[in-house]
């Protein structure tokens, strides 16, 4: 099994290019089920999660062609002949559940295994099912499967108890071909949802309000194939911003949307990092003495939970006391014991972590417990004395394209074994 080895203490310099957002591409691939013609996704990140959801579509007889050299994915859904994707594939990736909405909209029936993914806390599917039920679907649960069927989906007013990203995306896709108008209130506002809506609108959907708490979908009879380039990955960009700060370096990051990164920019600036953004290029200078800060994860436009572990890595190396409060997932501090093995001083109290920063992190063997935790441990390794070995790196490969190669190009001493 692969591991990443990091020798800390190197200053970074140069530039890094950011990929398209994994969290945009996965629902966009699922939405391609709705298209009558060929759907083409350009500049797609060649990630394990992308390959898995592509295999999920293949398991229901969609045609999916991935060109790794051009980062292009072509999808034809005209040949879909099954309503039940591979159980083994669905269990690998929680985002597989996103095919439920488009399958229900186009074929009126879908049966799917309960989803898998990172073990970072309870992520119930009840809001997805509540939305489908409101649209007129009949839901059956049992034996580890959920089945939905509807003779006809009818537009409805749906209020989400929590602004769930996945539920918002799934309901939007189901409603695109429902009869009449659907309104989703307390919808998630993440940029990736707006990107999905832009993709669907290109296909012929009628969606307004995506990116706000109230989304309106007017159903249409059919959707067509299109070509689309997804938005930049704000979490990958944020991770490299922290890489620059934790190594006290000045780097250039190409492929950012300043609006999407506002909460991360705000916290790093509060710490003393100097950040300049012009168009899609961000210059980060972390060479000043940094200060501790408090962070509370929140639904967008609040501080993203997907950047919590990376910021913990940074705060663990900054003198002073910081507090991180995690409000999204109840089990997302699993990286803290691994960081403590490296000398970090972190105390967990329920959903809060108190971090007493130190400039004496030391390299050792640690384990990636989930995707973002793995990235955070690599960041710790960049700042630590000696050699850090990050095991179970397959988690990181789910969300970062060749992270070690990109860091190596910036001057890090890092390699994959």
């Amino acid at each position: 099994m692969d591991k990443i080895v990091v020798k800390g203490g190197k200053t970074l310099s140069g530039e890094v290019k950011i990929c398209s957002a994994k969290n945009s591409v996965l629902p966009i691939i699922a939405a391609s089920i709705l298209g009558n013609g060929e759907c083409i996704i350009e500049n797609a990140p060649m990630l394990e999660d992308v390959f898995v959801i592509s295999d999920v579509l293949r398991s229901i007889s969609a045609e999916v062609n991935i060109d790794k050299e051009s980062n292009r994915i072509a999808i034809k859904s005209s040949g879909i002949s099954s309503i039940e994707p591979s159980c083994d594939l669905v269990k690998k990736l929680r985002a597989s559940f996103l095919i439920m909405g488009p399958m229900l909209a186009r074929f009126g029936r879908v049966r799917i295994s309960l989803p898998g993914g990172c073990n970072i806390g309870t992520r119930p599917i009840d809001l997805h099912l509540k939305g489908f039920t409101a649209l007129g679907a009949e839901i059956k649960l049992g034996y580890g499967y959920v089945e939905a069927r509807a003779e006809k989906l009818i537009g409805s007013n749906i209020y989400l108890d929590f602004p769930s990203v996945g539920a918002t995306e799934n309901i939007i896709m189901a409603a695109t071909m429902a009869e009449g108008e659907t309104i989703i209130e307390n919808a998630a506002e993440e940029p990736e949802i707006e990107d999905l809506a832009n993709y669907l609108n290109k296909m012929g959907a009628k969606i307004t309000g995506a990116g706000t708490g109230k989304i309106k979908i007017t159903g249409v009879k059919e959707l067509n194939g299109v070509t689309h380039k997804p938005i930049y990955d704000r979490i990958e960009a944020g991770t490299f911003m922290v890489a620059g700060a934790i190594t006290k370096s000045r780097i250039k990051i190409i492929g950012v949307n300043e609006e999407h990164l506002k909460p991360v920019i705000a916290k790093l600036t509060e710490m003393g990092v100097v950040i300049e953004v012009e168009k899609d290029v961000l210059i980060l200078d972390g060479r000043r003495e940094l200060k501790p800060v408090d962070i509370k994860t929140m639904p967008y436009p609040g501080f993203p939970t997907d950047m919590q572990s990376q910021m913990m890595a940074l705060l663990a190396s900054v003198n002073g006391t910081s507090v991180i409060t995690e409000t999204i997932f109840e089990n997302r501090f699993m990286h803290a014991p691994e960081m403590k093995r490296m000398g970090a001083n972190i105390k967990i109290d329920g959903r809060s972590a108190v971090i007493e920063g130190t400039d004496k992190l030391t390299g050792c063997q640690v384990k990636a417990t989930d995707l973002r935790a793995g990235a955070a441990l690599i960041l710790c390794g960049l700042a630590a004395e000696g050699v850090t070995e990050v095991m179970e790196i397959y988690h990181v490969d789910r969300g970062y394209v060749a992270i070690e190669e990109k860091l190596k190009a910036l001057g890090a001493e890092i390699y994959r074994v």
Side-chain angles (χ1 to χ4, degrees):
M1 190 174 287
D2 286 5
K3 63 181 177 181
I4 284 181
V5 179
V6 189
K7 186 173 182 182
K10 301 291 183 181
T11 301
L12 307 183
S13 63
E15 61 185 44
V16 62
K17 291 184 178 178
I18 300 304
C19 294
S20 290
K22 173 186 86 105
N23 290 338
S24 266
V25 172
L26 299 182
I28 284 170
I29 289 173
S32 301
I33 290 170
L34 293 162
N36 280 328
E38 184 177 50
C39 294
I40 294 172
I41 305 163
E42 294 183 331
N43 196 37
M46 295 294 109
L47 294 166
E48 185 60 29
D49 278 10
V50 171
F51 303 145
V52 172
I53 200 166
S54 296
D55 284 340
V56 169
L57 263 66
R58 292 187 184 111
S59 76
I60 55 174
S61 302
E63 185 181 330
V64 184
N65 292 307
I66 300 176
D67 186 333
K68 293 183 180 180
E69 288 191 11
S70 64
N71 297 328
R72 185 176 181 270
I73 302 174
I75 302 167
K76 292 180 182 176
S77 58
S78 56
I80 289 177
S81 58
S82 170
I83 61 150
E84 186 175 328
S86 161
C87 171
D88 290 339
L89 290 169
V90 171
K91 285 180 178 178
K92 280 186 179 181
L93 179 63
R94 182 175 180 81
S96 303
F97 202 70
L98 291 172
I99 76 164
M100 200 167 183
M103 287 292 289
L104 192 57
R106 187 161 183 196
F107 301 104
R109 190 177 168 205
V110 60
R111 185 175 188 266
I112 189 167
S113 168
L114 293 174
C118 278
N119 183 26
I120 54 175
T122 303
R123 292 185 284 179
I125 58 170
D126 57 327
L127 295 179
H128 301 244
L129 303 184
K130 175 183 174 181
F132 298 150
T133 300
L135 294 171
E138 180 187 346
I139 307 293
K140 289 183 180 179
L141 277 164
Y143 304 103
Y145 281 83
V146 57
E147 183 173 347
R149 61 171 73 206
E151 291 295 322
K152 181 169 66 173
L153 295 177
I154 306 292
S156 178
N157 281 15
I158 300 166
Y159 180 87
L160 296 178
D161 298 328
F162 177 83
S164 159
V165 174
T168 300
E169 291 168 339
N170 234 339
I171 296 166
I172 287 173
M173 291 186 283
T176 53
M177 296 173 70
E179 185 178 293
E181 182 178 278
T182 298
I183 293 176
I184 307 172
E185 295 192 77
N186 197 31
E189 301 179 21
E190 272 73 1
E192 294 80 11
I193 289 170
E194 188 175 0
D195 199 24
L196 172 64
N198 289 339
Y199 179 65
L200 290 165
N201 284 339
K202 280 186 185 179
M203 296 171 76
K206 294 181 179 178
I207 304 166
T208 58
T212 75
K214 185 175 181 178
I215 301 173
K216 185 171 87 171
I217 307 109
T218 303
V220 298
K221 292 194 179 298
E222 66 175 14
L223 296 172
N224 304 305
V226 292
T227 298
H228 184 73
K229 182 179 177 180
I231 60 173
Y232 295 120
D233 194 321
R234 60 195 171 101
I235 305 304
E236 185 190 17
T239 301
F240 278 97
M241 290 165 69
V242 173
I246 203 169
T247 57
K248 303 186 183 302
S249 304
R250 185 180 187 275
I251 61 171
K252 179 189 288 188
I253 301 171
I254 301 170
V256 301
N257 183 314
E258 184 176 8
E259 188 68 26
H260 299 168
L261 283 166
K262 270 188 175 179
V264 178
I265 290 172
K267 280 299 170 186
L268 288 174
T269 301
E270 186 181 339
M271 293 181 70
V273 178
V274 178
I275 296 170
E276 299 173 18
V277 184
E278 185 172 343
K279 294 182 179 177
D280 66 347
V281 177
L282 183 147
I283 307 286
L284 179 139
D285 191 338
R287 293 175 293 184
R288 293 183 180 183
E289 192 70 26
L290 301 184
K291 299 177 291 186
V293 294
D294 293 343
I295 293 170
K296 184 177 184 179
T297 65
M298 296 288 285
Y300 188 86
F303 193 90
T305 180
D306 277 355
M307 280 299 302
Q308 177 258 108
S309 55
Q310 299 92 311
M311 288 298 291
M312 186 180 288
L314 176 58
L315 294 171
S317 66
V318 173
N319 288 318
T321 304
S322 302
V323 179
I324 297 178
T325 304
E326 173 61 59
T327 73
I328 309 298
F329 296 119
E330 75 279 4
N331 197 25
R332 205 162 199 182
F333 287 143
M334 290 192 296
H335 47 274
E338 299 300 306
M339 290 181 182
K340 288 168 76 171
R341 287 167 54 79
M342 300 180 71
N345 187 351
I346 304 166
K347 292 180 181 177
I348 306 299
D349 182 10
R351 289 200 173 213
S352 292
V354 180
I355 303 125
E356 293 287 347
T358 175
D359 54 7
K360 293 183 180 178
L361 294 178
T362 54
C364 66
Q365 188 177 94
V366 289
K367 181 176 70 175
T369 53
D370 60 71
L371 164 55
R372 306 304 173 186
L377 292 169
I378 291 171
L379 295 174
C380 282
L382 294 175
E385 290 181 8
V387 176
T388 301
E389 295 184 0
V390 184
M391 314 300 288
E392 300 192 14
I393 209 68
Y394 64 89
H395 286 296
V396 178
D397 293 337
R398 291 185 46 234
Y400 295 90
V401 176
I403 189 170
E404 75 281 5
E405 295 300 326
K406 290 185 176 184
L407 286 168
K408 188 183 293 182
L410 289 171
E413 193 169 333
I414 181 171
Y415 56 93
R416 181 183 293 254
V417 176

